[in-house]
Amino acid sequence: MTFFLVLKMYLNNKRGLCVSLIFLSLSCGVNAQTARHIADPLNLTTTLGAGFDADVLKVAGRLGGDNQKIELNSNFGGDKWNLSYLYSPENELSNWNFSASIKHGKTDTEIGRFNHYQYQLGIISEFNGWIDTAVFTEVGANYLSVKDNPSNDSITANASVTILRPWSDRWYNTLVAKGSAAIDGSERYETDAWLSIGYRVTERWSWEIRYRYEFNQYDSFDEEETKWGFTIQSQF
């Protein structure tokens, strides 16, 4: 994990020390958690990965513990990134998992380019469906903070569904659908959906090809995009 900590400090030297301390504080109890699939959103194993999202090179890393993980993914330039945290009790009597994340991005509009941050809290539940299909649902709230244009700040309610279907020991499919809508009277809507096919080369290595659709609307500004992605990751 040394490479990833150094990378994060390079991407954001103001917050790098704080994030590094969080990583170090969680590193004392790594749990291999072999029962979880590598594409399972509740998988707590430590991973490193890289890939292309359309024409953008991205890197990612995750540090897992006995019942929690912290994860970072970023484009190679470091101006768009997502830092997330998951607490999973791994208790048969509890099917509720707590998630929190901070996402930084940039939006091109008719009057300029705006930096924005999204702060999100959520609760995730898991359901084992038909023929080894795992279904994960998440509900939560998201606060958008737009730098230099606070009139566009807003709060949304969010919901998402992730369906993981292993077809064999090697091949698997993942379908994800997310949606959010403002609850404070502002005009803000977001949809995000993707379908992926993955192949586990070994228990530790896998690759995945993804097709993704996104639509975001902020007041009078909107974005719509479809793109292909390719990722290679390793868990250990």
Side-chain angles (χ1 to χ4, degrees), residues 113-126:
R113 194 179 201 199
F114 295 101
N115 288 292
H116 60 259
Y117 293 86
Q118 295 190 38
Y119 305 90
Q120 182 164 312
L121 297 175
I123 298 292
I124 304 173
S125 65
E126 176 183 8

Side-chain angles (χ1 to χ4, degrees), residues 11-44:
L11 296 180
N12 195 335
N13 56 7
K14 293 183 180 179
R15 297 184 178 88
L17 180 58
C18 176
V19 173
S20 299
L21 290 175
I22 294 174
F23 271 70
L24 291 174
S25 68
L26 294 175
S27 63
C28 58
V30 175
N31 178 7
Q33 201 188 24
T34 55
R36 290 285 182 181
H37 195 281
I38 193 171
D40 191 320
L42 299 182
N43 191 329
L44 301 179

Side-chain angles (χ1 to χ4, degrees), residues 14 40 50 135 187 190 230:
K14 293 183 180 179
D40 191 320
V135 181
E187 292 288 331
E190 298 181 355
F230 176 75

Side-chain angles (χ1 to χ4, degrees), residues 42 52 94 100 137 174:
L42 299 182
F52 286 92
S94 176
T137 58
T174 304

